[in-house]
Amino acid sequence: MGSKEKDVVRRFYEIIGEGRPEALDEVCASDLVGHAGAGSNLADLKASIASYVAPFPDLAAEVRHLVQEGNLVCVWLSYTATHRAEFAGVPASGRHVKFAAWDLIRVQDGKIVEITQYCDLFTIMGQIGALPTAAPA
């Protein structure tokens, strides 16, 4: 079952998958409030997403679950990508990554007005070789 709010949220992830964080104005309010990984406003959100798109140009989001209550949409995602440029000080490794993310998004009048983002950065860093591996027993 669809809803207008869920449609806006799905479009948000399509824009990310297109590698066009600058186009988020299409679905985000200019006075957006961000929390955690989203930064504090729309400019921060665009910069945060750009910081993943640049090193992972094939970044793709698979929306696993969208749960809505009123105008709040909770999203569980799986991202996949290839590490093609420096990320968090780690040079391009060419490694494929897969990591989870959870977002809580508030939609009002057809636009995202508030977003809280969490992604599994620890898993990304391990997969691109930035963390030591466990020693064999």
Side-chain angles (χ1 to χ4, degrees), residues 16-100:
I16 292 172
E18 294 166 0
R20 299 183 318 116
E22 70 281 357
L24 289 174
D25 298 284
E26 178 185 321
V27 292
C28 295
S30 60
D31 60 348
L32 173 137
V33 175
H35 308 283
S40 62
N41 57 40
L42 182 55
D44 287 350
L45 176 63
K46 289 178 181 181
S48 175
I49 292 170
S51 76
Y52 285 85
V53 168
F56 302 102
D58 59 345
L59 185 67
E62 175 191 349
V63 175
R64 300 184 56 134
H65 296 286
L66 275 116
V67 179
Q68 182 173 356
E69 183 174 324
N71 66 347
L72 288 174
V73 180
C74 183
V75 189
W76 174 27
L77 306 138
S78 290
Y79 282 101
T80 56
T82 309
H83 183 211
R84 300 283 184 206
E86 182 180 314
F87 178 73
V90 180
S93 66
R95 294 179 179 180
H96 184 72
V97 298
K98 182 174 183 177
F99 60 96

